Amino acid sequence: MSHMTLEYSANLRTAGRFGELCRELARYMVELRIAGQPVFPAGGVRVRAIACDDYCIADGSIADAGFVHAILKIGAGRSDAAKTATCSGLFDIMKKHFASLYAERGLALSLEFIEFSESGTLKHNNLHARLNKP
């Protein structure tokens, strides 16, 4: 399981191209391999973006300032190499995606990583089976 939520300031809604970014981040997670093995099953990958309409950045004096905060939650059990590759790869994608906006305006990008115990979740998911149909 890998779920990523992008919280972003609503002033980035159009220029941020969040649909495109969600697809690119998901593709990275689905295609990521460590020692030839997939890190995340495709059926468990979710990426979503949520605009924050009400926010204040710093002291509120930079009118065009924006933020994107990514929260990545994965189930426990992956190697340190897999976790490092996942986080650094996803953050690199975010930095590249927002490079032109970063050059033009105040912009804060961040990524938070959370690993949780599988015993703390409940799941009902038929996506794995549907993706593996011949």
Side-chain angles (χ1 to χ4, degrees):
M1 178 182 150
S2 59
H3 288 217
M4 186 172 206
T5 303
L6 304 170
E7 298 174 346
Y8 66 92
S9 56
N11 64 347
L12 298 176
R13 190 182 315 267
T14 302
R17 304 177 342 267
F18 285 93
E20 176 186 323
L21 178 59
C22 287
R23 288 185 296 276
E24 191 172 356
L25 294 167
R27 184 173 40 253
Y28 177 81
M29 285 190 275
V30 168
E31 294 176 357
L32 181 61
R33 303 283 187 271
I34 299 292
Q37 298 300 312
V39 176
F40 304 105
V45 172
R46 315 274 188 282
V47 181
R48 53 196 163 266
I50 301 169
C52 298
D53 292 319
D54 300 312
Y55 60 90
C56 181
I57 298 170
D59 64 1
S61 66
I62 305 172
D64 71 344
F67 71 86
V68 180
H69 178 67
I71 304 160
L72 175 64
K73 297 179 182 181
I74 70 167
R78 287 161 180 97
S79 69
D80 287 342
K83 292 183 274 191
T84 298
T86 300
C87 291
S88 61
L90 292 170
F91 199 58
D92 286 347
I93 290 167
M94 289 174 60
K95 290 190 297 185
K96 182 179 177 186
H97 182 84
F98 290 108
S100 62
L101 285 177
Y102 190 89
E104 298 169 4
R105 64 193 303 165
L107 183 60
L109 303 177
S110 55
L111 186 147
E112 175 183 2
F113 171 76
I114 301 169
E115 183 178 31
F116 58 88
S117 165
E118 288 294 325
S119 66
T121 66
L122 301 173
K123 301 173 197 158
H124 187 64
N125 177 355
N126 68 0
L127 297 174
H128 300 284
R130 294 177 69 86
L131 287 168
N132 292 323
K133 274 189 172 178

